[in-house]
Amino acid sequence: MPTASGHTTAIRATRAVGTDVYNLDGKKIGKVEDIVLDKTDNSIMFAVVGFGGFLGMGEKYHALPWATLDYDQDQEGYVVPFTRDELEAGPADTITELTKDDGLHARQEAYSYYKVDPYWH
């Protein structure tokens, strides 16, 4: 079954991890570093997108609701509907901290900050 943008709804995590992420201006802002799954709910909690660093130093990791990433074949990457300023001001931490306490705090912060309807209600 296709998504709203015409892509299939099934994707392997190994294809998503490492994929570049762009903002609405078409500028590369980072890449998908990981995907956090909600095992008991059979859902994707969030994508971990890393950006802001140089050669692995100073990179920030952001929990972005999976539904906000839309794959663009022309760019061969995901596009998110946020400006760089919005992303930089968003909740960020280490990957370890984002997944602490089953990732529930990071998930709540991300869905609230990016104003995405929570899938778990």
Side-chain angles (χ1 to χ4, degrees), residues 3-97:
T3 64
S5 59
H7 299 95
T8 61
T9 56
I11 184 170
R12 292 174 37 198
T14 55
R15 289 199 60 187
V17 172
T19 301
D20 291 335
V21 178
Y22 299 87
N23 65 13
L24 289 173
D25 297 328
K27 294 184 180 157
K28 181 181 169 187
I29 58 166
K31 68 179 181 174
V32 177
E33 298 288 345
D34 214 336
I35 297 171
V36 179
L37 308 173
D38 185 334
K39 184 178 176 183
T40 60
D41 205 13
N42 291 321
S43 301
I44 297 174
M45 293 178 73
F46 52 85
V48 177
V49 177
F51 67 89
F54 180 70
L55 299 176
M57 302 293 289
E59 187 166 45
K60 293 183 179 180
Y61 298 98
H62 297 255
L64 294 179
W66 182 250
T68 65
L69 283 81
D70 188 31
Y71 190 78
D72 183 305
Q73 281 187 299
D74 292 336
Q75 290 185 290
E76 296 182 353
Y78 292 101
V79 176
V80 293
F82 310 113
T83 66
R84 182 172 187 85
D85 289 342
E86 288 173 319
L87 290 165
E88 286 179 351
D93 215 322
T94 65
I95 293 177
T96 300
E97 285 298 311

Side-chain angles (χ1 to χ4, degrees), residues 45-46 63 91 93 97-112 120:
M45 293 178 73
F46 52 85
D93 215 322
E97 285 298 311
L98 291 177
T99 56
K100 189 167 98 178
D101 298 324
D102 289 332
L104 297 177
H105 179 72
R107 178 185 72 174
Q108 182 64 40
E109 274 192 319
Y111 279 74
S112 177
W120 61 91

